[in-house]
Amino acid sequence: MKILYVGPLMMINKLVPMSKRIFPNLEFDYITYERYTDAPDLLEHYDKKVDAVLFSGKSPYKICENQMNQSILMDYVPRHETTLYRVLLEITYLLKRDICRLSVDTYDKKMMQKLYKEIHVELREDSVFFAEQRYMDPNYKDYVVAFHRKNYYEHHVCCCITGLEEAYREMKSEGIPVVLAVPSEDVVVQSVRNLQIRYIAKKNSENQIVVVAIKLNVPSEYSLMKEDDLSQRIKIMDRLYHFNHRIDGVLVEQSKSECMIFTTKKIIETETNQYKDFYLLDVLREVSAVPVYIGIGYGKTANESKYNAYESMKKMER
């Protein structure tokens, strides 16, 4: 299996050697960029065959997911609490700064609140500031830098945490105290292993057929049948097709508000971490507030799986 890393130079310099050391039987290649918005163009002109692409962060992944036709497995190294623990230790013991006065991007308030509670430190909303996560904004880096710069120069905070290497370099050059949230080794290892599992599941053509039935519960006043709501339906279907590519499935539209995705048992269970985490729901929430019913059906045949999926969806509606 060959994996392509895509990320800024500092991240790549850590991720690739680490991965080669831990996974000697895998092949690794990489592409580096100055700005994460360049990732789709760089990938488009990359002509060496790989089995999977692993992005160093969520921002380039989200842009490529929306702009590219995914023909191979794609994923990103996730934000994780262990990375944040390391960052807070660096701020406390190396920079000698107060972790109760911070400006933060990439990580959300909920994760920080949980972490601070575990270490018995009060997280005050008037002294810890969180940047809005605008992954699809081409000017996201500029927004992040301006957000941190304002908080620091107005003396609201004493240090900044960023997940964007481009933002880190710019703030560092200005003398603003900042720490780059580089993923820990455990997080990188788990990311590579997840890709391996998805790759193996994808290659196994003898897996049981599973049908994912999806229904949008659209109220009459917000009907997707209306011409003025066509753009909303296009956005929703775009996310469904992206998810379909992600799991190497076959998507069939049943109506304006219903569709099915045919995939395999191993792929869907691996993709959802045994149904603990459903990426499809996350991407649908990004574009629509319309309630969604999803039924997943197993069976010995495609027809039996389809029937069970719709029975499951009916129970969900009830």
Side-chain angles (χ1 to χ4, degrees):
M1 182 181 180
K2 186 173 182 178
I3 297 176
L4 175 71
Y5 273 112
V6 180
L9 186 59
M10 283 180 63
M11 291 286 194
I12 293 299
N13 284 342
K14 176 177 181 177
L15 298 179
V16 173
M18 179 196 305
S19 300
K20 288 182 176 180
R21 172 174 53 84
I22 300 173
F23 300 97
N25 295 326
L26 299 182
E27 291 184 68
F28 294 93
D29 201 351
Y30 62 87
I31 294 175
T32 62
Y33 55 72
E34 288 292 326
R35 294 180 64 91
Y36 70 88
T37 50
D38 297 333
D41 290 336
L42 293 171
L43 272 175
E44 186 177 343
H45 294 95
Y46 182 85
D47 57 0
K48 296 181 181 179
K49 184 183 182 303
V50 295
D51 299 303
V53 178
L54 187 57
F55 295 88
S56 64
K58 191 173 183 178
S59 298
Y61 170 80
K62 295 295 291 183
I63 287 181
C64 289
E65 182 188 40
N66 282 274
Q67 294 186 15
M68 299 180 62
N69 181 19
Q70 299 179 40
S71 58
I72 59 174
L73 291 173
M74 295 172 61
D75 211 338
Y76 63 93
V77 180
R79 298 162 294 174
H80 198 272
E81 291 176 5
T82 57
T83 303
L84 199 50
Y85 274 121
R86 185 199 62 77
V87 168
L88 293 179
L89 285 172
E90 183 175 341
I91 292 172
T92 302
Y93 293 103
L94 295 182
L95 299 184
K96 307 296 183 182
R97 303 278 175 166
D98 183 3
I99 62 171
C100 293
R101 296 179 58 233
L102 299 175
S103 183
V104 184
D105 69 65
T106 301
Y107 292 90
D108 57 39
K109 184 187 295 186
K110 186 177 180 180
M111 181 181 289
M112 290 284 281
Q113 286 174 332
K114 178 183 176 183
L115 187 149
Y116 273 54
K117 184 177 180 180
E118 289 177 352
I119 61 176
H120 305 290
V121 174
E122 182 183 2
L123 192 153
R124 294 176 52 186
E125 294 190 7
D126 60 349
S127 60
V128 180
F129 302 88
F130 296 89
E132 183 181 348
Q133 297 180 9
R134 306 176 182 176
Y135 297 114
M136 301 311 299
D137 184 352
N139 299 312
Y140 181 47
K141 188 272 295 183
D142 297 329
Y143 158 73
V144 164
V145 172
F147 174 84
H148 291 303
R149 187 185 287 133
K150 179 179 184 297
N151 288 332
Y152 179 70
Y153 286 126
E154 292 183 359
H155 307 291
H156 299 308
V157 303
C158 64
C159 192
C160 306
I161 298 173
T162 183
L164 295 181
E165 186 175 316
E166 306 104 291
Y168 170 81
R169 289 197 303 266
E170 187 168 335
M171 288 188 284
K172 195 77 172 175
S173 67
E174 293 183 20
I176 298 175
V178 58
V179 176
L180 179 64
V182 180
S184 65
E185 182 172 303
D186 288 343
V187 176
V188 176
V189 168
Q190 190 58 52
S191 299
V192 173
R193 284 179 176 160
N194 287 343
L195 270 183
Q196 281 185 288
I197 294 170
R198 286 176 58 192
Y199 174 74
I200 293 170
K202 182 179 178 181
K203 297 289 286 184
N204 190 345
S205 60
E206 295 181 359
N207 287 334
Q208 179 184 3
I209 295 174
V210 170
V211 172
V212 181
I214 303 153
K215 180 178 180 179
L216 308 175
N217 185 25
V218 185
S220 58
E221 67 273 11
Y222 192 64
S223 173
L224 292 177
M225 298 292 287
K226 295 181 180 179
E227 185 177 349
D228 57 353
D229 289 321
L230 179 60
S231 62
Q232 178 76 2
R233 182 175 187 276
I234 291 173
K235 289 179 182 179
I236 293 172
M237 292 309 299
D238 178 65
R239 295 302 190 274
L240 290 175
Y241 274 104
H242 275 303
F243 177 75
N244 182 60
H245 281 299
R246 180 183 171 97
I247 64 173
D248 198 31
V250 177
L251 189 147
V252 178
E253 294 187 48
Q254 297 289 92
S255 67
K256 293 287 185 180
S257 61
E258 292 185 21
C259 68
M260 295 185 299
I261 295 178
F262 291 82
T263 183
T264 61
K265 177 178 180 291
K266 282 189 177 180
I267 288 179
I268 194 66
E269 291 181 352
T270 301
E271 166 64 27
T272 60
N273 189 21
Q274 304 299 317
Y275 300 110
K276 296 176 184 176
D277 184 21
F278 210 166
Y279 175 73
L280 176 59
L281 291 176
D282 294 334
V283 296
L284 288 177
R285 287 193 196 102
E286 292 177 359
V287 296
S288 174
V290 173
V292 178
Y293 299 121
I294 298 177
I296 301 177
Y298 288 65
K300 295 179 181 178
T301 65
N303 282 336
E304 185 179 345
S305 296
K306 176 182 174 182
Y307 174 82
N308 290 336
Y310 273 89
E311 285 297 303
S312 174
M313 191 167 64
K314 289 176 184 177
K315 289 182 179 181
M316 188 66 193
E317 288 183 88
R318 289 197 294 269

